[in-house]
Every structure is written in structure tokens, then in C-alpha cells.
Amino acid sequence: MNKSIFQKPLLAIALIDLNSIAVAQSSTSSMSSEAISGQNMQNRLYPQVQLPITYNYNQKLGANNQIQQNEFAFTPIIPVALSTDLQLIVNPLFTFNRNSNDQQVANQQQPMQLATFFVPTHAEYFYAGIGPYLQLPATNANNGPMQTGLGVSAAAFFTPEHWVIGAAMYNSWGVGGNMAGGSGNLLNVQPSISYTNNHAWTYNLSSQITYNNMARAAANQLTMSGGKTVNLFGYHTQIQAGPTYMVTTNSTSAKGFGGLLGLTFLLPK
């Protein structure tokens, strides 16, 4: 008797059953709409406009460990549809620092960075992308590297219900001979893991590892944060706060404990 006659119908029935189970699981999710948005806001490659604004307090910067830093960053995530199967995630980074050393205060506007990711349009639980990276030169040596940085950015995130697990990174190579503000040769890796419960509370553990290829110096800041996603004026908005700690330091990096406060808007309504 030809077994393939029975195997094909049985295989088709099994696939139908598995598909119905997956649909049933997704349709019975107990996560609120705010909770789903809160989970999506932990995914840097999620194809919806995100407007994150963060404040970081860092201490003991510089060779004498006397600088206190207030760092403000705006890192919008903007998806651009390229075709039915491909989209471009544009992720610029604008940073402004206020550094205090005893009675002296210096404002430091760091170079604008631009990370991009080409990402498949159709993704459900796994998002991955890669694209070119650009860092503009600083206006003066006190504001960072005066080299143009060119390189590659990449990210990957696994997003089962409640969880976002993955990392984003960029590798930059300095272009130009002006080394007055340091080198543009940098490797930055940002692994993270987050959990969002049914009531839109999100808890996140992340790390930001920076390695200067020219100075052979690394720094690693660990952040533990928690926050709530709420409906504010019809927009899902997430508030996050928590401590930071410099696990690895170098002569110019921050040291010890600091703090994070973040506010993210998800658009459209």
C-alpha cells in the first residue's frame, strides 16, 4: 500500500491544526492596547513612529573625576516604506550635554548620528535589519570627534508576547585627519531585554558598550528601568525611570551610579 496517499492529507490536517492553535493563542492575548504599545516601544525596529526623549545624569567624568553631566537625547525612530516587502528605519540621535566642574559650566552639543536599518516589512516575532551609519563632525574639539564617522548599523530583536530581547549596534570609522577632538573610530553595542505585563508596566535591563578603536578604551553603562505606558491625549506614551551604573570605565568616561528618565510617544494614535 502506498503510504504517501495517507501522509499528505495527514500533513495538511496537522498544519491546519497548528495554524488554528496559533490564531487562537494570538486572539486570546490578555495584553491591553497600552501594554502592546509598551512592548512595541522596546523594539527599535518596530515599524511605527516613536519619539523617545531621555535624560541621563552621569558623574565623575574626566581625568580628574570632577565633572557632573546632564545629558539630554532625542532619538526618533521613523519607518519609511520602500516597497511592499522592504522598509527603511531611520534613527537619528541628537544629544545635548551640560557639564559642570566646580563653578564652571560647559554646554556640549555632540555630533549628530544617523543609524539606518533596512528591514523586511512582514515580521511578527523576529525583526532584523542592517544599513549605513553616519556621524557628522563636531563643530569644535570640546564637542567630540571632529572626524566624519562612516560605517554600518545593525539590530535584531526577538519579540514573543510580553518580551523584547535583542541588541542594536553601530561600527564607525573616522574619515579625515583632524584628531583634535578624538577619533571617530567607535564600536557601540546596546543589548537589552524587557518584559511588559498585561497592565502596561515595562521593566528593562539594558547595556551600552562603547569601544574606542584608536584609544583601545571601553566603557559599559548598565541601566535598570521600569515604567508605565498610558493613553495621553489619545497617544500611547511611556514613562521610564531607573538607576544606571558604569560597569567598565576609562579615563574620560562617567563612573559609578547615575540615573535615567525617559519619555516616549508612539504615533499615530
Side-chain angles (χ1 to χ4, degrees):
M1 182 180 293
N2 191 346
K3 294 183 179 180
S4 63
I5 296 175
F6 297 98
Q7 289 175 339
K8 291 181 179 179
L10 288 173
L11 179 60
I13 292 170
L15 290 174
I16 292 171
D17 287 342
L18 288 174
N19 183 63
S20 62
I21 291 170
V23 171
Q25 288 177 335
S26 62
S27 63
T28 58
S29 172
S30 56
M31 296 180 73
S32 65
S33 61
E34 288 83 4
I36 293 172
S37 292
Q39 178 185 358
N40 291 337
M41 280 188 271
Q42 304 305 305
N43 180 2
R44 197 163 170 174
L45 300 182
Y46 189 75
Q48 192 170 350
V49 175
Q50 301 181 44
L51 303 177
I53 303 169
T54 58
Y55 164 74
N56 263 287
Y57 170 73
N58 301 308
Q59 62 171 334
K60 299 181 181 180
L61 281 81
N64 59 3
N65 296 339
Q66 296 297 312
I67 298 176
Q68 312 296 312
Q69 183 182 73
N70 296 286
E71 181 183 72
F72 303 88
F74 177 51
T75 57
I77 296 171
I78 305 167
V80 179
L82 301 179
S83 70
T84 56
D85 299 316
L86 185 66
Q87 60 189 339
L88 176 67
I89 302 292
V90 180
N91 182 207
L93 170 62
F94 305 95
T95 307
F96 177 81
N97 296 333
R98 184 176 175 84
N99 297 336
S100 304
N101 187 354
D102 195 13
Q103 299 298 317
Q104 298 181 350
V105 176
N107 293 329
Q108 179 187 41
Q109 186 173 353
Q110 292 185 232
M112 191 275 285
Q113 303 173 51
L114 178 63
T116 62
F117 309 91
F118 289 97
V119 183
T121 302
H122 308 291
E124 186 173 3
Y125 296 117
F126 183 73
Y127 297 76
I130 190 170
Y133 170 86
L134 168 67
Q135 178 173 298
L136 297 180
T139 54
N140 62 68
N142 293 325
N143 286 346
M146 298 186 70
Q147 289 185 314
T148 297
L150 298 176
V152 61
S153 47
F157 294 96
F158 178 53
T159 63
E161 191 173 54
H162 297 289
W163 295 91
V164 176
I165 305 165
M169 60 80 66
Y170 68 80
N171 194 43
S172 172
W173 292 272
V175 179
N178 192 339
M179 301 287 288
S183 169
N185 292 292
L186 297 172
L187 172 65
N188 182 278
V189 183
Q190 303 163 37
S192 63
I193 179 171
S194 69
Y195 175 80
T196 303
N197 66 21
N198 293 338
H199 305 291
W201 284 96
T202 297
Y203 307 96
N204 182 281
L205 175 64
S206 63
S207 176
Q208 182 157 193
I209 305 165
T210 303
Y211 179 72
N212 188 309
N213 295 303
M214 296 294 290
R216 298 291 189 269
N220 179 11
Q221 186 175 58
L222 190 68
T223 301
M224 296 182 64
S225 62
K228 174 80 169 175
T229 300
V230 297
N231 194 312
L232 185 63
F233 303 113
Y235 295 93
H236 285 160
T237 305
Q238 186 174 87
I239 303 170
Q240 285 264 322
T244 64
Y245 181 72
M246 295 298 300
V247 179
T248 305
T249 65
N250 56 51
S251 60
T252 59
S253 70
K255 299 168 184 68
F257 285 95
L260 165 77
L261 180 63
L263 183 66
T264 303
F265 300 94
L266 189 65
L267 306 179
K269 293 182 178 181

